Structure formats: C-alpha cells, structure tokens
Amino acid sequence: MPRGGFSGLFDVTGLPTELKVSYWIWVIGGLLGLLGGVIGLFGVLVLFAIVPGVAVLVFLLVLVALAVAAAEIVLALKLKEAKEWARLALTIVAGVSLLLAIISSSFPAGQDGNWLGFVVSLVATALMWVPSSQAWFVAARGRL
C-alpha cells in the first residue's frame, strides 16, 4: 500500500510537474495492463476449449503481462517516494516495451506491434530524467 493508504495513490504533492505526468502515465498504464490481463484470462478460457496446447502458452504470457502491469504500479509508487532504483527499473520497462514492439512487428500475422505503448512509455521515461525531475531526486535524497 502507498503511504497514507489507498488515498496515497492520488497524492502527488511536492513532485515537479514532469514527474507528476510521468507518475500518472505509469499508474494508468499499469491499471490498463491489469484490465487487459483480466480480459486476456477470459480469452484463455475460450482457448482451452478450442486448442488446449496453445492455451497453456497464452495463459503463461497473460500471467507475465499481469505481473509486469502490477510491477509498473508498484514501481511508480516507489518513484513517487524518490527511489532511484524505481526510476531505473521503469526505464528498463520502457526498453522492454521497445523490444516487444519490435518482436510483435516481425510476425507476419498482420500485427503492427504496440508502438503506441512504446511511445507513451518513452515519454514517461523521458519525463523522469529531465533536469527538474533530476533536481527533485537530488533534493529528496538530501531530505531522506
């Protein structure tokens, strides 16, 4: 749970504007990822009835997607607490989204990859590393 309980999820006082935007991008992206994962679980149930062998693989991929979405939310909460490692981990998540978009685009099944998701995570990552965000992390390190 965030500091201050569930309502702490919405408290972004003291953060520079760029970091607030980045925080909300990561949180909303994580929540949408969780929603997509739950919907994917329903799709897996249908696949189990049609193609059980493929359904197992898809089920594992949906579980990984749910874990990544939950991690985005947790890391965003730690980002708000001025944890440098959370900022680095979210940067790695953005890199992984680039790899997934490239891999997804290479399939001939007509998928164009999740380039929009990558661009959004790229914007959120850039906002975490702009000078005003850097200065906030340095100042927060001195306070903690």
Side-chain angles (χ1 to χ4, degrees):
M1 288 297 289
R3 289 183 186 170
F6 184 70
S7 65
L9 180 69
F10 302 103
D11 182 25
V12 290
T13 55
L15 273 70
T17 303
E18 295 85 356
L19 212 50
K20 287 178 187 178
V21 172
S22 178
Y23 169 78
W24 284 115
I25 289 172
W26 287 116
V27 169
I28 291 170
L31 291 173
L32 289 174
L34 289 175
L35 177 64
V38 169
I39 292 170
L41 288 175
F42 289 117
V44 168
L45 291 176
V46 172
L47 272 179
F48 270 117
I50 300 170
V51 189
V54 173
V56 172
L57 176 63
V58 173
F59 178 69
L60 292 174
L61 292 173
V62 168
L63 288 180
V64 169
L66 283 168
V68 168
E72 278 185 29
I73 296 169
V74 170
L75 290 170
L77 290 170
K78 294 300 178 183
L79 174 78
K80 192 171 63 166
E81 295 175 9
K83 304 291 185 191
E84 290 277 350
W85 57 267
R87 182 167 60 157
L88 180 61
L90 285 169
T91 303
I92 292 169
V93 167
V96 169
S97 75
L98 170 63
L99 289 175
L100 291 175
I102 291 170
I103 291 169
S104 177
S105 293
S106 68
F107 288 112
Q111 295 181 358
D112 291 331
N114 190 6
W115 291 104
L116 178 62
F118 165 67
V119 169
V120 169
S121 65
L122 180 65
V123 168
T125 302
L127 290 172
M128 292 187 306
W129 293 96
V130 296
S132 62
S133 296
Q134 292 274 49
W136 180 81
F137 274 98
V138 170
R141 195 176 322 131
R143 286 192 310 260
L144 299 177

